[in-house]
Amino acid sequence: MSILLQRINLKNRLMPFLFTLILAGCNANFMGNSFTSELKKDANASSEFYMNKIGQTQKIEDQQTYKLLAARVLVTENKVPQAQALLNELSTLNPDQLLDKSLIEAHIAAVQGNNQHAEDLLRRVDLTQLSSSQVGRYYAVKARIAENKNAIIDAVKARIQMDQVLTDVPRKQENNDRTWALLRQANRGLLNNTPDEGNLALAGWFALARAYNDNLSQPTQLSQALQNWKSAYPNHSASYLFPTELQGLFNFQQTSLSQVALLLPLSGNGQILGNTIKSGFDAAKGDNTAVQVQVYDTVATPINDIIAQAKQAGVRAIIGPLLKQNVDSVLNNPSAIQGMDVLALNSTPNARAIGQVCYYGLSPEDEAESAANKMWKDGIQAPMVAVPQNDLGQRTATAFNIRWQQLSGTDANIKYYNQTGDVGVALQGQNVQGLYVVAKSEELADVKSVIDNSGSNIKLYASSRSNSSNNGPEYRLLMNGLQFSDIPFFKDTDSAQYQKIATNTNGDYSLMRLYAMGADAWLLISHFNELRQVPGYQIDGLTGKLSAGPNCNIERDMTWFQYQNGGIQVLN
């Protein structure tokens, strides 16, 4: 195995030199063969590089080859329309170019969810004519098709086939990471009841998934279980290129709290926000006397002074601050929080990955991503997103579109409105299957009325912004059929906990969400290391199913509701 890795590493060191040398000429590679043979190799440059080469090359055959290389990379860059446009320009291709074009077209079809067309294209491909690199791409498309169908095991099998032809470490690592991501998301019953069919590689992956699932709730045991797996499968691809997100678990340390600093605005304009969050935090903490809490008013004292006081008092865990300007102050002085765990209760454009810092809040981005997932799952292919022309709208639209690109390979139809009448105008002449609206309840009522009067069958989705305690029976009847997202806390309005919080907040939904946020802040800081170090670790909170995403942004899996015959039904 060490010899194999040495060879792979040698290839990686030589690759930049060889790649430059190969592409230096316009008409032929350094071996004197047709440049078309480059299609049988990995495309290691950016799409911009290949696009520039098209204009620098005189020979038509080589221009076609560069267009194919550019199109191949554009698909991986989630720029499917540009890739399709390049393919449409091609004509009079030689057999090798036609073969590669078929692989690219199959990839595009798979990315767009057109599984049948992708499968038809793959069936026309003669595997015996493919290079190792092309075989890897062939099975990558099969894996994507399987993922589209939620056939997780078939996707894993395709990636095992890919692993057998991949030769460089980065691509093998990427493939192992993707294989592991599929298994981590798979249903546990499916993994436990699917036979490995005598496939040692598949058996190894199943064993790794079981070791992870069986010990996920006890991370200290999970570390040892993973080490035992490596000992049991020393020759497995994942044994020497372990999934990246699991590598840090071998040094896991469980969260241990003794003192916590709670940084909130407890005076001035933000007093009601801070007090409500603190009430939720105190209720969740309860009578836990093992952890001492120091409370600081971020309006009365500068944030940097508070952090210095907390550190001097021996505090090693901070919850807050809440106000964005104070979050930025913390981010601008990372040395001040060195050695401290920080759960910021907001995020800003300056938020970035900083060791031991996580960002948590009731952000519109969580709802936008949830809406994209929901609409895709509901079979919506042509969504429109209607958002206000302000910062909230911009953030929502950006988050929705990023997620939609990941799901469909295309952009969502984003419309900004200044008044609700703009939404009705935007819908005219559009082939819209589903509409996601971010609006206040009275604004959403106007939009719903326009759509109902038009006789359209558009499926309607909305954010929690429209869900208000002021919405009465007449409003609920008007909204019939509309689906909206909100925190799971609103699922059980008859519970004693709900009634207590409703009483404490006078039934104000906005304050109830903040109260729930305070309660979840206690849960998050109590499991801080688990969230940061254990991939897939989740906490069932009042504001959602909580997990740590990129840059340790705490992601919330939203609950979806639907208005039905004057009532509200929980969908998930």
Side-chain angles (χ1 to χ4, degrees), residues 353 359 548-555:
Y359 307 91
N551 297 340
C552 202
N553 283 299
I554 302 301
E555 298 177 346

Side-chain angles (χ1 to χ4, degrees), residues 220-396:
T220 53
Q221 295 182 20
L222 176 58
S223 176
Q224 184 58 52
L226 296 180
Q227 192 62 58
N228 293 341
W229 178 89
K230 292 189 72 173
S231 299
Y233 293 89
N235 297 321
H236 195 278
S237 175
S239 187
Y240 65 92
L241 290 175
F242 208 59
T244 302
E245 70 171 14
L246 295 180
Q247 292 174 8
L249 288 177
F250 296 111
N251 299 314
F252 172 77
Q253 290 185 333
Q254 191 171 7
T255 303
S256 178
L257 295 177
S258 57
Q259 291 191 76
V260 174
L262 184 59
L263 282 54
L264 293 169
L266 299 175
S267 58
N269 294 333
Q271 181 176 5
I272 189 172
L273 306 180
N275 284 337
T276 303
I277 292 174
K278 181 178 180 299
S279 295
F281 175 88
D282 290 341
K285 178 179 177 292
D287 297 328
N288 186 329
T289 58
V291 180
Q292 301 300 312
V293 178
Q294 304 289 333
V295 181
Y296 297 89
D297 182 359
T298 57
V299 175
T301 307
I303 192 69
N304 291 328
D305 292 347
I306 290 175
I307 292 174
Q309 293 173 22
K311 181 175 284 190
Q312 187 174 13
V315 172
R316 292 293 176 265
I318 292 176
I319 298 176
L322 174 67
L323 304 180
K324 286 191 174 185
Q325 63 267 32
N326 288 335
V327 174
D328 277 333
S329 295
V330 173
L331 298 179
N332 292 334
N333 190 18
S335 61
I337 56 173
Q338 189 171 358
M340 308 177 82
D341 294 335
V342 179
L343 178 66
L345 296 180
N346 212 327
S347 185
T348 79
N350 298 320
R352 60 191 186 277
I354 299 179
Q356 301 307 112
V357 176
C358 291
Y359 307 91
Y360 168 57
L362 306 180
S363 73
E365 286 84 357
D366 289 332
E367 293 202 61
E369 291 173 12
S370 181
N373 291 334
K374 181 72 168 63
M375 296 177 80
W376 178 257
K377 184 178 180 180
D378 288 352
I380 303 297
Q381 298 292 322
M384 178 182 286
V385 179
V387 294
Q389 185 74 57
N390 55 28
D391 178 66
L392 170 65
Q394 292 280 352
R395 291 172 61 188
T396 300

Side-chain angles (χ1 to χ4, degrees), residues 95-158:
D96 285 343
Q97 292 172 330
L98 284 170
L99 183 65
D100 206 75
K101 181 172 179 280
S102 294
L103 288 175
I104 299 171
E105 289 176 331
H107 191 187
I108 290 175
V111 167
Q112 293 178 330
N114 193 344
N115 300 324
Q116 187 60 56
H117 184 48
E119 290 174 334
D120 290 343
L121 288 168
L122 288 185
R123 273 193 290 268
R124 300 172 195 168
V125 173
D126 185 354
L127 272 170
T128 64
Q129 299 298 312
L130 300 181
S131 67
S132 294
S133 173
Q134 289 172 319
V135 169
R137 291 164 54 203
Y138 173 93
Y139 282 110
V141 175
K142 287 186 74 75
R144 180 58 187 259
I145 295 171
E147 286 185 52
N148 292 346
K149 296 179 178 180
N150 201 31
I152 301 300
I153 303 304
D154 288 341
V156 170
K157 289 178 180 178

